[in-house]
Amino acid sequence: MTALRNVELKARDPEPERTLHAALAAGAQDQGVLHQRDTYFAAREGRLKLREERAGDAAPHAQLIAYARPDQATARTSAYHLVDVPDPAALTAALDASLGTVVVVDKTRRLLLRDNVRIHLDAVDGLGSWVELEAVAPPESDLAAEHAEVAALRATLGMSDDRVVATGYAALLLEAGAATPRLVDLARGAMQRAYAPYSHFNVGVALRDEAGGLHAGANVENGAYPQGQCAEASAIGALIAAGGSAIREVAVMADTELIVPCGGCRQRLAEFAGPQTPVHLCGPEGVRRTVALAQLLPLAFDLAEATA
Ligand code: THU
C-alpha cells in the first residue's frame, strides 16, 4: 500500500475562541470535540504512534499511525500509514516491550472541516492551545493545491510566523522534560549496578536519543586501573549499539553532593550532543541541577570546525 499524504502546519494559539470564530466565518463545518491519547514509540524509521480516540458516546476507536514528516516551521508534507487496532491495550504493551514508549500526548481536539482541509483546535495537556491545518491529498496530487489551501487558511486564521512550530507535540513535551523522570530512574538503576570495587564510587548515566529511545550505562572499573570506563562511555556505547545517533538529554547520577561528568566525558558527550543539550546532575533522589552541555564544555573542540 502506498502511503497517504497531507500538507500540514502547526502553530501556537493564544486565542482559541477567536480562531474558532474565524474558522466558522470562513465556512468551516464544526465536527465536534474528540479526546485523543497518542502513545509514541521509539521507532528507528519515521514516527510511530497509537491513537486512542473518544467522541461523545461513540465507541472508542484506536489506530496505529506510522508517518514520516520533516521538522520545519513551514507547511510540510507528511506521508503516513493508518492501521485500525481492535485491541489497543495489547498493542501498547507489545510495542512498549519491543521499542519502548517515548511519551504520551493527551489532548482535546475540536475538529472543523473546510473543503478538504481539517482544522484542529487542540488543547494539549501540558502544552496549552494550538491550531493545526491538515490538507489531505488525493494520490495523484502534486500537492500544489494543498499548499495553496493551507496558505490561504493560514492567513485567514492569523497563524503568524512567530507562532508556527517546526516539531510536533511529542517533541515539545520531551523538550519540556516529559522523559526526565524515566531517564532519572534508568540512571539510578545503572548506578546501583555499577562495577566500582576500587573507587567505591558508583556512577549511572542515562541518555535519550533522537528517536526518543532511552539508554543507560554504568562505570566499569578494572584491576588494571587505566582500563576502567566511565558511565558516560558505557551509556554512549549502548545508544550506538541500539541504533541511536544523537543525544538529546542526559542524566548523570552519583551519591555525592553534585556529580559532574569528568573532562574527557564532556568531550565524549559533545561528539553526539549539541551545546544546548540539557545535562541533569542527579543525586539518588533525583535532579539536583540542570546545565547545558556548553556550560560544562565551553570552547569545545569540534573536528569538523577545526579542519573546515
Ligand atoms: N566516573 C564516571 O563514571 N563518570 C564521571 O563522569 C566521573 C567519574 C567514574 C570513573 C571511576 O570508575 C569512578 O567514577 C571514580 O573516578
Side-chain angles (χ1 to χ4, degrees):
M1 273 247 300
T2 56
L4 305 164
R5 292 170 309 156
N6 62 29
V7 172
E8 51 185 76
L9 185 70
K10 194 195 295 286
R12 291 176 201 283
D13 188 1
E15 294 174 288
E17 281 299 316
R18 196 176 147 182
T19 310
L20 174 61
H21 287 122
L24 293 171
Q29 305 292 311
D30 190 355
Q31 307 291 303
V33 172
L34 308 165
H35 296 275
Q36 296 179 334
R37 162 167 290 193
D38 290 343
T39 303
Y40 288 77
F41 301 98
R44 278 282 147 232
E45 290 296 327
R47 310 173 198 205
L48 185 68
K49 68 185 176 194
L50 179 71
R51 167 163 295 174
E52 296 169 271
E53 187 171 278
R54 285 178 293 115
D57 296 331
H61 172 233
Q63 280 187 318
L64 187 68
I65 308 174
Y67 62 112
R69 181 183 71 196
D71 280 343
Q72 56 191 37
T74 57
R76 44 205 172 147
T77 313
S78 177
Y80 56 99
H81 298 269
L82 296 177
V83 185
D84 285 327
V85 173
D87 189 347
L91 188 62
T92 301
L95 291 175
D96 183 55
S98 56
L99 298 175
T101 298
V102 173
V103 69
V104 177
V105 180
D106 278 302
K107 65 176 171 295
T108 301
R109 167 168 287 178
R110 184 162 200 149
L111 172 64
L112 296 105
L113 293 181
R114 184 171 176 265
D115 302 325
N116 67 331
V117 183
R118 297 164 61 95
I119 304 170
H120 300 152
L121 303 183
D122 290 342
V124 186
D125 283 12
L127 290 178
S129 298
W130 298 80
V131 55
E132 186 175 68
L133 306 180
E134 255 182 35
V136 183
E140 67 283 1
S141 172
D142 66 359
L143 303 181
E146 289 76 15
H147 275 286
E149 284 176 296
V150 167
L153 203 48
R154 171 184 182 165
T156 304
L157 300 183
M159 296 166 69
S160 50
D161 280 351
D162 55 314
R163 293 180 185 171
V164 172
V165 292
T167 55
Y169 298 138
L172 290 163
L173 278 171
L174 290 170
E175 278 165 34
T180 310
R182 281 188 300 138
L183 215 54
V184 168
D185 286 347
L186 273 179
R188 187 182 300 107
M191 176 187 75
Q192 288 162 349
R193 294 185 289 271
Y195 179 75
Y198 307 107
S199 72
H200 305 290
F201 188 69
N202 284 22
V203 184
V205 167
L207 306 172
R208 176 165 60 82
D209 71 23
E210 74 288 355
L214 305 184
H215 314 278
N219 53 335
V220 183
E221 298 185 344
N222 195 286
Y225 291 175
Q227 301 307 321
Q229 166 162 307
C230 283
E232 290 83 346
S234 301
I236 289 168
L239 178 146
I240 293 297
S245 56
I247 297 173
R248 292 285 151 79
E249 187 174 2
V250 182
V252 185
M253 186 184 292
D255 193 359
T256 184
E257 195 173 319
L258 190 68
I259 179 69
V260 287
C262 76
C265 284
R266 298 176 192 203
Q267 186 71 36
R268 285 195 171 97
L269 293 169
E271 180 78 13
F272 302 101
Q276 297 314 316
T277 303
V279 181
H280 307 294
L281 309 175
C282 307
E285 81 294 345
V287 176
R288 292 187 182 166
R289 190 169 158 191
T290 298
V291 293
L293 182 59
Q295 288 173 270
L296 294 173
L297 191 65
L299 288 177
F301 174 75
D302 180 325
L303 181 62
E305 262 175 36
T307 55

